[in-house]
Amino acid sequence: MIPAAFEYYRPKDMEGVLAVLTEHGDDARVLAGGHSLIPMMKLRMAEVPHLIDLQDVAGLGGISVSDGTVRLGAMVTQSDIIADAVLADAAPIMREASLQIADPQVRYMGTVGGNVANGDPGNDMPGLMQCLDATFTLIGPDGEREVAARDFYESAYMTAREDDEVLTAVSFKVPEGGYAYQKQKRKIGDYATAAAAVQIVKEGGTCARASIAMTNLSDTPVYSEAAGAALVGTSVTDSDIDAAVQAMLGDIDPAEDNRGPVEFKRHAAAVILRRAIARAWSRA
Amino acid sequence: MSKKMHIQLTVNGEAQEFLAEPRELLIHTLRERLNITGPHIGCETSHCGACTVTLNGKSVKSCTVFVAQADGAEITTIEGLGNPDKLHVLQEAFKEHHGLQCGFCTPGMITRASKLLEENPSPTEEEVRFGMAGNICRCTGYQNIVKSILAAAAEMSASKEAAE
């Protein structure tokens, strides 16, 4: 499996990246960890005549937590996320989710920027970013702009990012309360059959706020506002969780594939969300 | 064909320089250009781990890295860990504890395990299984692979203590 030939660029700064993107439009793509793009190029399902490697571009790394905001540079890897003690303290759901992505070798290469920007409904970070109400920073020839994660995904592989833009960072408010990222997959390295990201705030024995998002159950990640709302004001009993699950089932739209028929996916989504809510609540 | 680029690598401590198309996959560079045939081609889709090498201190699947990305990198393969006259502790442990059957996955297993033990010198059995999850053994010899890695970890800790 050899990909089609391409011109390779390894610029040292964003100006260099944008210059190639501007010149070649959608004939150019940026390469972060490459573990989504390279397999597609090898299968010749993606043809990239101009490949821009971001590894030497300054300013795309780093995890910071300050003034109640978490910021991750686009080139932060899943392995970096797992190893970062400050992040694990501020937003433990990031570590819990990263540990469930692919395998150790892939996690050394796979980046948060690539995971969210690729627009693959199977990726875990987009759903997680819905749950955390994250903001994505994009840079293009006209400068920088910010897009809410909840407005970013249009359909599979189609996002609000323009062809001449690069996603440079993700940021979100330090999440409060209990958390869980729960994922059902057939084997190590597979995408989710169903996964759920949950953050719950408990005040005096009742749920004050809840944020719920689902992965790989539609052609975009699904933020289920209704599922979160079903829990607010309740003491999160089994019947309250059932109501949240019913609300979530109204928001997802899974397609049949080699992970199973639609009914099975809806069943798996319900089981996974029930477990995720129970676990997040127990940690709240 | 795209134009060839000048590539510099350090493989198992030895400097290598050559011209290659950027699309050349690192596993092909190692096996076909440099005759370093320890890393194997298994699935070629970044699932099986047979092609695992250490690239700038990270375990990577060399079937999913372009040689252009590796330009300037330091790479260690199984050949850089030990040789028939002086086996690496992990190689000795795999031999002793029947950690291989057909042997196809073994170079990738040992190269990955060496990095795992560098990061976590005394892992639990569960940590070994989790840390080795990117390597598949089609003989399904996982019990003895895990046993071998745990034995190597114990051996390495013991010799480190003895040295101190």
Side-chain angles (χ1 to χ4, degrees):
Chain A
M1 286 193 287
I2 314 273
F6 54 81
E7 291 294 322
Y8 175 82
Y9 307 80
R10 204 200 276 192
K12 297 248 187 296
D13 54 35
M14 191 51 71
E15 277 174 27
V17 177
L18 294 175
V20 182
L21 283 176
T22 306
E23 187 181 346
H24 296 288
D26 65 0
D27 273 352
R29 288 280 302 266
V30 297
L31 177 81
H35 276 49
S36 296
L37 186 55
I38 295 174
M40 295 313 278
M41 290 172 72
K42 285 168 66 179
L43 291 165
R44 303 218 175 189
M45 290 168 79
E47 198 180 334
V48 184
H50 299 273
L51 187 69
I52 312 163
D53 188 342
L54 297 179
Q55 68 172 299
D56 286 348
V57 177
L60 291 181
I63 299 173
S64 71
V65 181
S66 67
D67 298 331
T69 299
V70 177
R71 185 184 181 283
L72 297 101
M75 290 295 278
V76 166
T77 64
Q78 281 116 35
S79 162
D80 295 335
I81 290 171
I82 291 165
D84 194 286
V86 175
L87 179 66
D89 188 50
I93 195 169
M94 290 294 292
R95 183 169 194 274
E96 182 157 291
S98 295
L99 284 166
Q100 296 176 69
I101 295 175
D103 63 48
Q105 284 94 320
V106 176
R107 290 194 292 265
Y108 281 115
M109 297 298 281
T111 65
V112 66
N115 202 285
V116 300
N118 191 32
D120 185 336
N123 283 155
D124 292 284
M125 288 288 169
L128 182 51
M129 295 298 140
Q130 308 301 300
C131 172
L132 296 171
D133 196 13
T135 301
F136 299 158
T137 305
L138 303 169
I139 193 164
D142 301 328
E144 219 171 62
R145 66 179 179 122
E146 294 196 328
V147 180
R150 291 176 187 170
D151 298 330
F152 188 72
Y153 297 96
E154 293 163 359
S155 61
Y157 304 102
M158 301 299 288
T159 68
R161 187 186 64 80
E162 300 294 338
D163 285 338
D164 57 1
E165 287 183 310
V166 181
L167 189 148
T168 56
V170 306
S171 52
F172 51 85
K173 290 214 160 51
V174 170
E176 304 169 280
Y179 67 93
Y181 193 79
Q182 191 89 28
K183 179 176 178 179
Q184 173 64 43
K185 55 186 176 184
R186 297 173 303 175
K187 57 176 274 293
I188 291 289
D190 191 20
Y191 291 124
T193 303
V198 177
Q199 287 278 161
I200 297 185
V201 179
K202 186 195 231 172
E203 278 169 11
T206 57
C207 168
R209 288 181 291 287
S211 180
I212 293 175
M214 309 298 292
T215 292
N216 217 12
L217 292 161
S218 182
D219 65 350
T220 60
V222 175
Y223 168 59
S224 181
E225 195 175 356
L231 295 177
V232 174
T234 74
S235 48
V236 191
T237 61
D238 285 351
S239 63
D240 300 326
I241 294 178
D242 284 344
V245 167
Q246 282 310 314
M248 175 278 290
L249 290 172
D251 284 341
I252 62 170
D253 184 21
E256 178 170 343
D257 62 17
N258 54 10
R259 291 180 190 85
V262 170
E263 275 315 298
F264 173 71
K265 292 193 170 183
R266 294 177 66 81
H267 171 74
V271 171
I272 288 301
L273 181 56
R274 245 183 224 110
R275 288 181 191 167
I277 293 172
R279 201 143 56 97
W281 183 244
S282 75
R283 289 161 161 175
Chain B
M1 228 172 74
S2 63
K3 79 175 177 269
K4 290 190 175 181
M5 60 183 275
H6 183 231
I7 305 277
Q8 285 183 296
L9 303 175
T10 306
V11 186
N12 300 326
E14 215 173 292
Q16 304 283 356
E17 278 192 56
F18 50 88
L19 291 172
E21 278 193 76
R23 65 173 165 168
E24 184 170 303
L25 295 165
L26 183 57
I27 185 66
H28 295 143
T29 308
L30 293 170
R31 290 182 57 84
E32 287 159 33
R33 188 182 284 280
L34 304 176
N35 291 321
I36 295 170
T37 54
H40 289 162
I41 299 174
C43 70
E44 242 193 305
T45 54
S46 72
H47 286 95
C48 79
C51 64
T52 298
V53 302
T54 310
L55 176 104
N56 291 334
K58 300 170 168 185
S59 298
V60 303
K61 296 180 177 177
S62 59
C63 74
T64 307
V65 177
F66 292 127
V67 70
Q69 292 172 278
D71 184 27
E74 290 208 16
I75 295 163
T76 306
T77 69
I78 186 78
E79 287 88 344
L81 294 177
N83 60 59
D85 298 324
K86 192 175 185 311
L87 293 182
H88 186 275
V89 180
L90 275 159
Q91 291 172 314
E92 193 64 52
F94 269 65
K95 181 179 143 198
E96 203 58 35
H97 296 273
H98 305 284
L100 62 151
Q101 291 174 49
C102 82
F104 189 85
C105 72
T106 314
M109 287 280 177
I110 291 180
T111 309
R112 169 58 197 149
S114 71
K115 183 67 200 165
L116 173 66
L117 295 185
E118 195 185 303
E119 291 180 351
N120 181 0
S122 27
T124 62
E125 180 183 332
E126 200 188 328
E127 285 167 344
V128 169
R129 288 182 185 275
F130 192 77
M132 296 301 296
N135 294 75
I136 294 173
C137 166
R138 261 322 51 136
C139 307
T140 69
Y142 296 106
Q143 295 291 356
N144 286 345
I145 289 169
V146 172
K147 206 187 284 178
S148 304
I149 295 169
L150 288 169
E155 172 67 30
M156 286 157 97
S157 304
S159 48
K160 198 177 158 209
E161 268 170 41
E164 277 167 5

